[in-house]
Amino acid sequence: NAGVTQTPKFRVLKTGQSMTLLCAQDMNHEYMYWYRQDPGMGLRLIHYSVGEGTTAKGEVPDGYNVSRLKKQNFLLGLESAAPSQTSVYFCASSYEVAGVVDTQYFGPGTRLTVL
Amino acid sequence: GQNIDQPTEMTATEGAIVQINCTYQTSGFNGLFWYQQHAGEAPTFLSYNVLDGLEEKGRFSSFLSRSKGYSYLLLKELQMKDSASYLCAAVGGMNRDDKIIFGKGTRLHILP
């Protein structure tokens, strides 16, 4: 039982390049999330999904796209990376209980630098 | 609007007790989480309060007052390994799209 895994762990991009971050969970969770964490800003929600085939925007969705084609995977895409997207990205997943979000389990994070 | 406030930093001494406060404003409320995050690592779950009152779990306790929009995390018998950031997070929203809203975290420094 690996929990939540993220690939890659580190990445350096040049401005304008694209990349996809992969999140996988083996806990059969319905909900999955992508956050970014910057110094002094806390965790900010980028996009989330309440089930396979569904996605929704969070607090800071601009410049990112997501897909949830399989229940266990949640992909975060950067189409044209910008230096402002330099951050640590965390994926998380959770159950829902009676329609309410339950405890979130976080992946180890991806440290992305955009030059 | 939706907002979570908690102190940016706190310092305490090994063996002592520290209380980290959190106030929240959300449209709808379905519970409050506390997470611990060591530097360079992912957040990990500490506690979840839905009803008013104190929940105790070993050295850590969490309190909630829904009417006041207030919670605190109490850490007893502090150890050096408790040096970390503590994140308060409220479950807001009114429907199935409930989201967890995180505070900016309180960085706790433990002195020997």
Side-chain angles (χ1 to χ4, degrees):
Chain A
N1 190 340
V4 181
T5 57
Q6 291 181 232
T7 52
K9 288 186 169 54
F10 302 92
R11 187 72 185 268
V12 177
L13 291 178
K14 294 181 179 178
T15 296
Q17 287 185 316
S18 63
M19 78 163 293
T20 300
L21 282 68
L22 171 64
C23 176
Q25 52 96 4
D26 60 2
M27 295 175 283
N28 202 34
H29 286 166
E30 285 293 333
Y31 287 20
M32 295 188 75
Y33 316 79
W34 275 108
Y35 292 92
R36 60 178 290 173
Q37 188 174 41
D38 304 290
M41 298 295 292
L43 283 165
R44 292 185 292 169
L45 184 65
I46 304 171
H47 286 280
Y48 65 102
S49 168
V50 298
E52 180 179 324
T54 74
T55 63
K57 293 180 180 179
E59 180 186 356
V60 288
D62 294 343
Y64 305 95
N65 56 75
V66 288
S67 65
R68 183 108 181 260
L69 298 179
K70 293 182 179 181
K71 186 177 184 178
Q72 63 268 33
N73 295 337
F74 196 28
L75 278 64
L76 178 71
L78 285 73
E79 292 184 345
S80 179
S84 61
Q85 294 178 304
T86 294
S87 188
V88 179
Y89 292 85
F90 286 103
C91 175
S93 69
S94 72
Y95 287 117
E96 65 159 302
V97 178
V100 178
V101 171
D102 198 17
T103 304
Q104 288 183 317
Y105 294 85
F106 286 83
T110 295
R111 282 148 185 81
L112 175 66
T113 301
V114 184
L115 303 176
Chain B
Q2 305 195 101
N3 191 48
I4 305 233
D5 283 319
Q6 53 182 129
T8 303
E9 285 189 270
M10 298 182 71
T11 301
T13 305
E14 191 176 13
I17 299 173
V18 70
Q19 178 174 312
I20 303 174
N21 296 323
C22 170
T23 58
Y24 63 89
Q25 287 180 301
T26 56
S27 53
F29 177 76
N30 285 298
L32 190 126
F33 288 92
W34 284 96
Y35 287 84
Q36 181 189 59
Q37 186 178 24
H38 285 101
E41 298 182 9
T44 55
F45 170 78
L46 284 178
S47 67
Y48 178 46
N49 293 68
V50 177
L51 302 176
D52 286 357
L54 187 69
E55 296 269 350
E56 298 187 73
K57 191 184 295 185
R59 294 189 299 114
F60 293 3
S61 303
S62 56
F63 172 83
L64 177 67
S65 170
R66 295 175 67 122
S67 61
K68 295 181 179 178
Y70 168 69
S71 174
Y72 68 72
L73 181 69
L74 191 71
L75 292 76
K76 303 176 185 176
E77 301 170 15
L78 286 170
Q79 302 175 9
M80 297 303 293
K81 67 178 181 180
D82 298 330
S83 291
S85 287
Y86 292 86
L87 312 180
C88 171
V91 183
M94 303 287 286
N95 54 39
R96 188 169 182 258
D97 286 343
D98 286 351
K99 294 184 289 292
I100 295 181
I101 304 154
F102 281 86
K104 295 181 180 180
T106 298
R107 189 175 301 175
L108 177 64
H109 304 278
I110 309 297
L111 302 177

